[in-house]
């Protein structure tokens, strides 16, 4: 199967950026989806993955950028990651 990735971005309003990353891969099962952002969770074989990538990505988006990161997926229909980031001026980016 050939996999592709689509990265459209939009500005829903002048205060936020919407990033949508979508592929046509195998998708994520319902039993895995609730754990996808958990630290040390991986579906790879022992020694093949750390289970940190998505956990760290979500932490950065939420804590450093005050945004959101969600996943939408069904088996055999690919996966979609949706990132919403607030747009802050330079003077506001160092507060808090």
């Amino acid at each position: 199967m050939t996999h592709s990735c689509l990265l459209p971005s939009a500005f829903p309003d002048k205060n936020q950026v919407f990033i949508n990353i979508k592929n046509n891969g195998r998708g994520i099962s319902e039993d895995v989806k609730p754990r996808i952002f958990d630290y040390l969770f991986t579906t790879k074989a022992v020694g093949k993955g750390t289970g940190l990538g998505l956990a760290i990505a979500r932490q950065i988006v939420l804590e450093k950028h005050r945004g959101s990161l969600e996943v939408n997926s069904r088996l055999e229909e690919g996966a979609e990651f949706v990132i919403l980031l607030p747009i802050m001026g330079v003077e506001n980016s160092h507060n808090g």
Side-chain angles (χ1 to χ4, degrees), residues 3-85:
H3 299 286
S4 64
C5 187
L6 181 62
L7 297 156
S9 300
F11 296 90
D13 63 49
K14 64 182 180 180
N15 297 316
Q16 55 190 352
V17 174
F18 172 86
I19 303 165
N20 182 336
I21 303 165
K22 190 173 187 178
N23 70 31
N24 64 350
R26 294 184 331 197
I28 303 166
S29 67
E30 290 300 318
D31 61 319
V32 168
K33 203 177 340 178
R35 302 178 61 201
I36 196 92
F37 296 109
D38 290 354
Y39 280 97
L40 304 178
F41 177 76
T42 182
T43 58
K44 296 179 181 178
V46 174
K48 296 292 182 186
T50 62
L52 294 175
L54 288 174
I56 291 171
R58 189 173 201 197
Q59 181 180 7
I60 291 169
V61 169
L62 270 62
E63 294 178 13
K64 299 293 183 186
H65 299 289
R66 296 185 180 138
S68 64
L69 172 56
E70 304 295 330
V71 62
N72 301 313
S73 182
R74 290 188 181 164
L75 282 179
E76 306 307 323
E77 294 183 16
E80 171 186 50
F81 289 87
V82 180
I83 304 167
L84 191 60
L85 299 172

